Amino acid sequence: MSRRQIDITPDLMLRAYRAGLFPMAESRRGDRLYWLDPERRGVIPLDQGFHLPKRLLRTVLSGPYRVTADADFAGAIAGCAAPAPGREDTWINPEIEFLFLSLHRQGHAHSVEVWQGDALVGGLYGVVLGSAFFGESMFSRARDASKVALVHLVARLRLGGFTLLDSQFLTEHLSQFGAHEIPRAEYKRRLAQAVMAQAAWLPSPDPAALEAEIRALRGGGRDDA
C-alpha cells in the first residue's frame, strides 16, 4: 500500500489496472486514495471451477428479479457505496465514484443491476480491459440479489470470451462460488495474458444463450440444495 503522490485520472486508473494495482479510499468520507497490490489476489473461476448451488440456479432463472447490464451504472455504484447492515462504512468515496463514472462513460467500466419491480435491489460494477474483468464491489437490498448479479456477470463474461475475473480480495461470500487466492506473481502472469486478449462485454446477450450459459455453470457444482 502506498500513499498517493499525484492526482488520479481515468487514464492513470487504466494503466494501474494493467499493472495489477487498484485504488481504494480510507473510508466513505476519506479524502485520500491508496494504490493496493496484494501479495495474494482473489480470483473467481470462469470455467468449471465456478460453483452454482441448485437453489440459487432456481432463483436466477425463475425468481422475482429482473437483471440488466449498464442500465443504471450510477445507481449500482451508489448502492455499493451506501452503508448497509454489517457494513456501516465503505471504501468508495466521492472521488472513486467520479472516476468510475468517467470510466463508464468511456466504455471501460460496466455494471450488472438486479431489479425487483422498479426498485434497484442489488448489483455490482467493475472495469474491463481486454479479456479481464476487475470486480470492484457489489451490494444487496433483497435476498440473494448480489448473488444473482454475480451469476449473471459470470455467464456474460463466459459468453463474451473473458479469461480473468479479478475479485481483488477473497471473502467468505465469494468463496462459496469457488473464488480462491493466487500469489501475486501468478496473478500478474494471468493478467498480462488477459489484457492482451480480445473479449466482448455483452450488455444485452441473446436471452436463450444467456440462460444456456447460466445452466452450464451448474455443470461444475456440487450436488447441494
Side-chain angles (χ1 to χ4, degrees), residues 4 7 11 22 26 28 57 60 65 83 96 98 104 107 112 131 148 156 166-167 175 182-183 191 194 200 202 209:
R4 178 181 56 162
D7 289 337
D11 180 65
F22 59 91
E26 295 174 310
R28 175 63 175 161
L57 175 61
V60 172
Y65 303 126
I96 289 283
F98 172 80
H104 175 63
V112 175
S131 67
V148 170
R156 290 163 188 267
D166 172 15
S167 67
S175 64
I182 58 175
L191 174 65
L202 304 174

Side-chain angles (χ1 to χ4, degrees), residues 54-67 148 152 211 214-215:
K54 287 182 183 178
R55 184 189 63 79
L56 183 57
L57 175 61
R58 291 193 296 268
T59 299
V60 172
L61 295 179
S62 58
Y65 303 126
R66 173 174 60 91
V67 181
V148 170
H152 267 264
E211 179 175 336
I214 291 171
R215 291 186 182 278

Side-chain angles (χ1 to χ4, degrees), residues 1-217:
M1 181 182 296
S2 60
R3 185 162 296 184
R4 178 181 56 162
Q5 301 294 323
I6 59 176
D7 289 337
I8 296 180
T9 64
D11 180 65
L12 181 58
M13 290 264 284
L14 294 177
R15 285 187 281 144
Y17 277 100
R18 286 183 181 275
L21 286 75
F22 59 91
M24 294 182 71
E26 295 174 310
S27 66
R28 175 63 175 161
R29 296 186 179 182
D31 60 358
R32 291 178 177 174
L33 301 187
Y34 298 91
W35 292 117
L36 279 79
D37 186 11
E39 291 186 6
R40 297 187 64 80
R41 195 72 161 236
V43 294
I44 299 174
L46 292 174
D47 53 20
Q48 294 304 312
F50 187 83
H51 172 54
L52 176 57
K54 287 182 183 178
R55 184 189 63 79
L56 183 57
L57 175 61
R58 291 193 296 268
T59 299
V60 172
L61 295 179
S62 58
Y65 303 126
R66 173 174 60 91
V67 181
T68 58
D70 289 345
D72 189 359
F73 184 90
I77 192 170
C80 292
R87 190 191 68 179
E88 283 66 37
D89 197 6
T90 71
W91 54 269
I92 304 171
N93 69 356
E95 184 175 6
I96 289 283
E97 286 192 75
F98 172 80
L99 287 165
F100 278 99
L101 285 167
S102 297
L103 288 174
H104 175 63
R105 287 192 292 269
Q106 295 173 9
H108 297 296
H110 301 282
S111 59
V112 175
E113 305 90 14
V114 179
W115 306 84
Q116 193 165 28
D118 293 329
L120 182 61
V121 297
L124 55 80
Y125 74 97
V127 173
V128 166
L129 284 173
S131 67
F133 187 97
F134 306 86
E136 287 295 315
S137 187
M138 61 176 60
F139 77 100
S140 182
R141 296 175 182 146
R143 183 182 181 184
D144 291 338
S146 63
K147 296 178 182 179
V148 170
L150 178 61
V151 171
H152 267 264
L153 172 68
V154 171
R156 290 163 188 267
L157 295 182
R158 285 164 54 108
L159 281 173
F162 283 77
T163 61
L164 177 65
L165 175 49
D166 172 15
S167 67
Q168 299 178 349
F169 300 109
L170 180 64
T171 66
E172 183 177 352
H173 176 72
L174 294 176
S175 64
Q176 64 187 299
F177 295 99
H180 57 278
E181 289 182 329
I182 58 175
R184 178 192 292 156
E186 172 65 12
Y187 170 76
K188 293 195 175 181
R189 183 190 67 80
R190 294 190 194 181
L191 174 65
Q193 295 175 343
V195 297
M196 295 300 293
Q198 295 296 316
W201 171 254
L202 304 174
S204 303
D206 175 72
L210 180 61
E211 179 175 336
E213 199 63 46
I214 291 171
R215 291 186 182 278
L217 289 175

